C-alpha cells in the first residue's frame, strides 16, 4: 500500500476499515502497533506503522456524518470525511468554515492533525476551527476532548500527529455562509510585492502567490475576496496590476479545468477558497511537496533567501506558493505567531529533491522556519521537537493516552523516542 504521491510504500501489514465503533475497538485490540490513516496525502512516513493501519472513512457511529447543531453553529463530522464533502453539506445548510486548504480532497482528521492550512492574514490553519474531538484510544476507550471542558490539554489534542488515538469525529465551529470572488494578477514585479507585502497579502480574504523563484516577477497572485454585498470588488494593492482574462492553472501551461472559478465570478465560499474542484483530481500524484512555515516578521528575508537559491530550486519545481496564516494555540502547530508559508511542489525526482532540502533549511531555519509535519524535509527528528516550546508537554500527553506507545510509528516513533 502506498501514499497518494506514490513515493512511499507503507510498512503496515494490514488495513482495517471499521464500519462501527465495535469494529474499531476490535481493530485496536491486541498489543501490536496500530496507526490511523487518512487520505494518504502525507509525503513522508508520519502516518506509517509496522502494524495495522486503520481508516475511519466507512465508520458509522449512529449519527449523521455531518451533524450541525443549529443552536451553537458547531458541526460534528465523521473524521474520515474529506473537506470537500463537509463543505458541501455545510453550504447546503447555510453555514461555512473559516477557510479551506488548496485541495478539498484531504480528510478532516488528517488535515487538522498535521496543521494543514489555507491562506489569509486573519485565517488560522484548519485546526483553528476545531472545538472538540472524539477519539478511541488503544485501550478501546472512546474519549471526547473539547476546548471548553479540557482547556489544560486541548491544545495538545488537535495537532497531535495521531499520537493519542484514532479520531472518530471532529467538532468544528462554523459561521454563516458567504460568497467569494477570485481574481488572478499576472507577472507582478518582485519589487512591488516585497515593497508592499503586507498590502498584497492583506488585500483579500485569502491570497496566494505562485512563483518558480528564478522568475523576474511573481507569476500569479490569486486574490480570493469575500463578497458580502452580492457584488464585491477586485482588489488592487499595488498599482498597474495585469489581470488574467482567461482562467489559469498554478502550473504553467496546464489546463485550468480542475481549478475553482476565477475572473471575478462570485460563488459560494466552498467553491472558491480551495484552488481545485472536488470532482477533479488536480494531479495523479506525480509530484512531491515540501513546506516551511516562518514567523511573519521573517517573510521578506525568507523570500529573498529562497530567491537566492532559485538556480538550484527552480529546475526541480512544478510551482511554489507563498501563503499567510494567522496564529493559533495548538502545541504542535507551527503557527504560534502570525506566519508565512513557503510551499514547494516538486517534480517526482526524489533523490534530487532530497539533496536540495538541506540547502533550503540552511537558509530558512535560522529565520525561524519549521517544516510542515506531512511533507518532505531534512530536519532530524531529534532536533525538530526542540523547535516547539510545548513539545515536552505533548510527549507527556501522548504517554498518558497511549502508555504502551502502540501508536508510535514512522516519523512519530523517531520524534517521541
Amino acid at each position: 500500500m502506498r501514499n497518494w504521491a506514490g513515493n512511499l510504500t507503507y510498512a503496515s501489514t494490514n488495513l482495517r476499515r471499521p464500519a462501527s465503533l465495535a469494529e474499531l475497538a476490535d481493530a485496536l485490540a491486541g498489543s501490536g502497533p496500530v496507526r490511523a490513516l487518512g487520505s494518504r496525502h502525507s509525503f513522508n512516513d508520519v502516518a506509517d506503522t509496522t502494524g495495522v493501519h486503520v481508516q475511519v472513512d466507512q465508520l458509522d457511529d449512529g449519527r449523521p456524518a455531518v451533524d450541525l447543531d443549529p443552536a451553537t453553529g458547531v458541526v460534528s463530522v465523521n473524521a474520515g470525511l474529506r473537506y470537500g464533502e463537509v463543505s458541501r453539506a455545510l453550504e447546503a445548510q447555510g453555514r461555512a468554515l473559516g477557510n479551506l486548504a488548496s485541495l478539498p480532497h484531504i480528510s478532516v482528521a488528517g488535515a487538522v492533525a498535521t496543521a494543514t492550512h489555507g491562506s489569509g492574514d486573519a485565517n488560522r490553519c484548519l485546526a483553528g476551527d476545531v472545538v472538540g474531538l472524539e477519539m478511541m484510544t488503544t485501550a478501546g476507550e472512546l474519549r471526547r476532548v473539547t476546548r471548553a471542558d479540557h482547556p489544560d490539554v486541548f491544545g495538545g489534542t488537535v495537532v497531535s500527529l495521531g499520537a493519542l488515538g484514532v479520531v472518530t469525529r471532529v467538532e468544528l465551529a462554523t459561521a454563516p455562509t458567504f460568497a467569494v470572488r477570485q481574481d488572478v494578477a499576472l507577472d507582478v514585479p518582485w519589487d512591488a510585492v516585497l515593497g508592499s507585502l503586507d498590502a498584497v497579502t492583506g488585500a483579500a480574504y485569502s491570497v496566494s502567490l505562485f512563483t518558480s523563484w528564478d522568475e523576474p516577477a511573481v507569476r500569479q497572485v490569486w486574490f480570493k475576496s469575500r463578497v458580502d454585498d452580492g457584488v464585491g470588488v477586485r482588489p488592487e494593492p499595488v498599482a498597474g496590476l495585469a489581470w488574467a482574462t482567461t482562467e489559469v492553472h498554478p502550473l504553467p501551461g496546464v489546463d485550468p479545468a480542475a481549478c475553482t472559478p476565477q475572473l471575478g465570478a462570485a460563488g459560494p465560499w466552498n467553491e472558491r477558497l480551495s484552488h481545485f474542484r472536488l470532482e477533479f483530481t488536480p494531479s495523479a500524484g506525480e509530484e512531491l511537496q515540501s513546506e516551511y512555515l516562518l514567523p511573519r516578521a521573517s517573510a521578506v528575508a525568507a523570500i529573498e533567501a529562497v530567491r537566492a537559491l532559485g538556480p538550484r530550486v527552480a529546475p526541480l519545481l512544478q510551482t511554489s506558493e507563498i501563503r499567510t496564516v494567522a496564529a493559533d494555540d495548538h502545541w504542535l502547530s507551527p503557527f504560534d505567531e502570525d506566519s508565512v508559508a513557503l510551499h514547494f511542489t516538486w517534480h517526482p525526482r526524489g533523490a534530487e529533491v532530497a539533496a536540495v532540502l538541506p540547502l533550503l533549511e540552511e537558509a530558512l531555519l535560522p529565520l525561524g522556519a519549521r517544516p510542515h509535519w506531512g511533507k518532505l524535509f531534512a530536519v532530524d527528528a531529534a532536533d525538530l521537537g526542540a523547535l516547539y516550546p510545548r513539545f515536552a508537554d505533548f510527549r507527556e500527553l501522548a504517554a498518558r493516552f497511549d502508555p504502551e506507545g502502540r501508536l508510535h510509528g514512522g516519523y512519530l516513533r523517531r520524534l517521541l523516542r
Side-chain angles (χ1 to χ4, degrees), residues 34-82:
V34 65
R35 200 88 169 88
L37 187 65
S39 48
R40 308 184 194 181
H41 274 78
S42 290
F43 293 80
N44 61 32
D45 64 347
V46 70
D48 205 5
T49 179
T50 56
V52 175
H53 266 130
V54 177
Q55 260 183 297
V56 297
D57 57 333
Q58 296 183 357
L59 183 67
D60 181 357
D61 63 1
R63 290 175 284 176
V66 179
D67 192 9
L68 178 68
D69 182 344
T72 65
V74 172
V75 62
S76 174
V77 306
N78 181 308
L81 288 178
R82 299 178 297 170

Side-chain angles (χ1 to χ4, degrees), residues 202-387:
Y205 185 79
S206 173
V207 177
S208 293
L209 298 85
F210 290 95
T211 178
S212 292
W213 298 107
D214 63 342
E215 300 162 317
V218 178
R219 187 188 331 115
Q220 299 171 8
V221 183
W222 291 35
F223 296 95
K224 302 171 188 276
S225 307
R226 281 190 62 142
V227 177
D228 295 316
D229 59 2
V231 180
V233 295
R234 186 174 65 190
E236 188 137 4
V238 296
L241 292 180
W243 296 98
T245 56
T246 60
E247 294 193 334
V248 297
H249 192 285
L251 275 61
V254 175
D255 187 337
C259 297
T260 50
Q262 304 160 25
L263 306 180
W269 61 281
N270 62 310
E271 297 178 3
R272 298 295 187 279
L273 291 180
S274 290
H275 296 333
F276 300 100
R277 303 173 190 254
L278 180 62
E279 59 269 25
F280 285 83
T281 300
S283 78
E286 297 171 350
E287 62 186 55
L288 301 173
Q289 293 182 11
S290 300
E291 187 172 41
Y292 296 95
L293 305 319
L294 298 101
R296 179 62 186 259
S298 300
V300 172
I303 291 169
E304 290 179 333
V306 180
R307 288 186 69 205
L309 292 170
R312 294 293 305 274
V313 170
L316 300 176
L317 277 176
Q318 297 189 39
T319 193
S320 195
E321 182 178 3
I322 303 170
R323 291 177 283 183
T324 57
V325 188
D328 62 61
D329 61 355
H330 298 293
W331 298 353
L332 290 192
S333 168
F335 309 114
D336 49 6
E337 58 183 295
D338 291 346
S339 302
V340 63
L342 307 184
H343 185 279
F344 303 84
T345 300
W346 308 103
H347 291 290
R349 292 153 60 179
E352 294 172 90
V353 171
V356 83
L357 292 179
L359 298 178
L360 282 170
E361 292 176 9
E362 182 180 2
L364 296 177
L365 290 179
L367 298 174
R370 287 178 279 195
H372 187 292
W373 290 108
K375 303 190 188 296
L376 297 178
F377 52 88
V379 185
D380 189 83
D383 299 321
L384 189 51
L387 302 180

